[in-house]
Amino acid sequence: MLDSNYFHYTGTDLSCDDVRLEELAGIYGTPLFVTSARSLIESYQTFEDAFKALSHFTCYSVKANYNLSVIRTLAELGCGCDVNSGGELYRALQAGVSPEKIIFAGVGKNAEEISYALESGVLMLKAESLSELRAIDRIAGELGKTASVAIRINPNVTAETHPYITTGDSKEKFGIDEAELPVVFSLLSRLPNIRLVGLDMHIGSQIFDPEYFVAATVKLLALFEASKELGFSIEFLDIGGGFPVTYDPLKPATPIEHFAEKLIPMLQPFGVKVIFEPGRYLVANASILLTRILYKKSNHTGKQFFVVDAGMTELIRPALYQSHHEIQAVTFHDETVMADVVGPVCESSDFFARQREISAAEEGELLAVMSAGAYAAVMGSNYNGRLRPAEVLVNGSQVKLVRKRETLEQLIQNELSC
Ligand code: LLP
């Protein structure tokens, strides 16, 4: 069982803070994302405490969970935002984040997005290619603005994680190759509408070993020194996100303090402001996906299936990355059974667990798919004509509906009859 102060049994009932999940399902239906505001706050404070000795600025990577209320909860604590598209920038601004606390990333920003970011007055755009630098310079010139830019480098450090979420390797599309940096510096001195304010990296996600951060930071610092010699005065070093969380109690995440112990002494002497972009760390364990068991069935091999009303359309991580999510019965049962927990979507990859020892819950009962705060709702889809679920935010005994369940009408609202 995943230990959490925020999702816990009160007697035999699983609750979020002071609210029973059964009650929430009764009011809002299922599938339902339930987020604990207190968990968000605690994760942010733990992160900030770990790095308090370092002059830094934390920008929540909103791609992990861009619900406005999640962004707002973190922003109210002083957190900035890392956005990856015009859509995410719009969300961050709508959530009330001030533009000078927003940094804009993305390997393929289009002209519209670059203009939007410049006109909004974001703290910086992170450029990932020579061509993009030229585009930013041109657009800034047209708008009569000077663009504050950070260069994202590809440090060629292959962090051990799922291959789909490693980004700091030369095989991948991200960042500018180290070898190209001299050309970048020389180009920058000829681009009148760009001011170089930072160097940036992001080596991947769910990285357990701090040594990968250390290896990449060594490279970032060497480039920082090189840039100083060339006369650039860089204000920010952006270390990216990628800090791990526990999905499986048998594989506990490295505590954030271990990353801080390694990184603070390396970065502090340089007297530059450090930016962190945690996504998953702040939100993954703040939410669960509440789902109801529709049917139970077994086959001639003795295999059992729990067919639930949520699926890969709400949480695609098991299908895409074979990732583990704990599953807890909302009403506690002593007995367990070995079963697959599967969704209603027409894909064999539509499962939450395979051959897992699951609480012996009955048809009609509720299950909680744990750690569903990061890369869950945001990666959702309407595949199979499914409606995006409702989302609620719990704080103590208070419950707020923060996203309404989609309707059938909304499914077709943008289509035109011809
Ligand atoms: N900064 C940049 C530039 C990123 O690309 C990402 C994540 C982050 C920060 C935040 O990384 P985090 O702290 O959350 O690890 N869908 C995958 C994860 C994809 C991560 C993409 N980039 C998953 O479900 O595991």
Side-chain angles (χ1 to χ4, degrees):
M1 194 165 94
L2 198 61
D3 238 2
S4 153
N5 295 331
Y6 304 100
F7 295 96
H8 54 88
Y9 284 97
T10 316
T12 56
D13 298 337
L14 191 60
S15 301
C16 174
D17 286 357
D18 306 336
V19 183
R20 290 187 315 116
L21 294 177
E22 185 78 57
E23 197 181 308
L24 292 177
I27 300 170
Y28 302 102
T30 54
L32 178 71
F33 283 102
V34 180
T35 299
S36 159
R38 290 181 179 175
S39 169
L40 294 173
I41 294 167
E42 186 187 273
S43 301
Y44 177 72
Q45 283 167 346
T46 308
F47 191 90
E48 289 305 282
D49 273 357
F51 287 103
K52 65 172 180 284
L54 189 67
S55 161
H56 74 278
F57 177 43
T58 301
C59 290
Y60 165 53
S61 195
V62 310
K63 61 171 75 77
N65 185 332
Y66 55 44
N67 185 290
L68 298 180
S69 67
V70 171
I71 300 177
R72 197 172 292 127
T73 302
L74 292 168
E76 278 169 2
L77 304 171
C79 194
C81 283
D82 162 57
V83 301
N84 195 67
S85 67
E88 286 188 354
L89 174 57
Y90 179 72
R91 281 184 170 274
L93 293 170
Q94 289 297 310
V97 184
S98 46
E100 66 276 11
K101 287 185 146 189
I102 300 177
I103 58 178
F104 196 116
V107 72
K109 305 174 202 71
N110 63 30
E112 222 175 12
E113 291 175 310
I114 294 170
S115 304
Y116 182 28
L118 291 173
E119 282 181 318
S120 305
V122 298
L123 180 63
M124 68 177 82
L125 287 105
K126 296 181 276 171
E128 300 209 24
S129 65
L130 291 163
S131 301
E132 189 191 358
L133 277 173
R134 290 192 197 94
I136 295 173
D137 181 66
R138 180 178 47 77
I139 296 166
E142 284 162 11
L143 296 173
K145 294 195 181 284
T146 302
S148 296
V149 166
I151 301 296
R152 175 166 175 181
I153 63 152
N154 183 319
N156 196 18
V157 167
T158 314
E160 193 187 329
T161 181
H162 191 281
Y164 288 3
I165 54 176
T166 179
T167 51
D169 185 303
S170 297
K171 288 200 302 293
E172 309 301 342
K173 65 183 173 182
F174 299 102
I176 300 183
D177 197 273
E178 262 183 288
E180 227 176 4
L181 264 292
V183 186
V184 170
F185 287 136
S186 120
L187 176 68
L188 279 171
S189 55
R190 283 176 280 123
L191 296 179
N193 307 307
I194 287 188
R195 191 165 67 91
L196 181 66
V197 296
L199 291 176
D200 164 59
M201 67 180 195
H202 171 73
I203 57 172
S205 200
Q206 186 67 352
I207 299 168
F208 273 53
D209 188 347
E211 289 307 326
Y212 294 112
F213 281 86
V214 170
T217 301
V218 166
K219 296 198 173 185
L220 200 67
L221 288 170
L223 290 168
F224 173 62
E225 287 295 283
S227 73
K228 271 209 292 207
E229 276 163 33
L230 291 169
F232 292 101
S233 66
I234 282 173
E235 293 163 57
F236 301 102
L237 283 185
D238 185 339
I239 303 297
F243 305 101
V245 302
T246 301
Y247 285 100
D248 182 346
L250 299 175
K251 296 181 189 152
T254 317
I256 196 67
E257 292 77 13
H258 293 206
F259 292 85
E261 275 162 25
K262 296 274 179 182
L263 290 172
I264 294 174
M266 290 180 78
L267 289 159
Q268 213 167 28
F270 288 83
V272 65
K273 191 154 195 171
V274 173
I275 295 181
F276 294 108
E277 302 172 357
R280 187 191 313 269
Y281 182 85
L282 299 179
V283 296
N285 280 317
S287 312
I288 56 122
L289 173 59
L290 194 57
T291 183
R292 202 173 284 284
I293 302 170
L294 296 172
Y295 308 109
K296 284 168 68 173
K297 63 178 183 177
S298 51
N299 66 20
H300 74 279
T301 66
K303 187 164 177 171
Q304 291 213 48
F305 296 92
F306 284 32
V307 184
V308 298
D309 67 358
M312 65 192 296
T313 40
E314 288 73 45
L315 178 67
I316 201 173
R317 303 192 69 259
L320 203 52
Y321 316 112
Q322 301 77 49
S323 49
H324 178 98
H325 286 259
E326 287 287 285
I327 297 178
Q328 286 176 209
V330 167
T331 305
F332 186 80
H333 294 264
D334 283 325
E335 278 166 49
T336 59
V337 290
M338 190 62 84
D340 281 16
V341 179
V342 300
V345 174
C346 292
E347 299 277 344
S348 302
S349 57
D350 180 31
F351 60 85
F352 291 130
R354 284 195 141 148
Q355 289 305 286
R356 181 88 64 82
E357 208 175 326
I358 297 286
S359 208
E362 295 301 331
E363 289 182 358
E365 287 192 38
L366 295 165
L367 298 179
V369 183
M370 308 305 286
S371 314
Y375 307 111
V378 289
M379 292 178 81
S381 78
N382 291 118
Y383 183 45
N384 274 202
R386 301 214 2 118
L387 306 176
R388 287 171 197 266
E391 298 176 30
V392 294
L393 185 72
V394 176
N395 193 343
S397 58
Q398 276 186 333
V399 181
K400 266 198 254 164
L401 177 65
V402 293
R403 183 182 170 109
K404 291 195 273 189
R405 186 174 307 286
E406 212 166 30
T407 62
L408 290 172
E409 294 72 28
Q410 285 173 322
L411 266 188
I412 58 165
Q413 71 186 358
N414 284 352
E415 282 169 53
L416 308 168
S417 52
C418 42

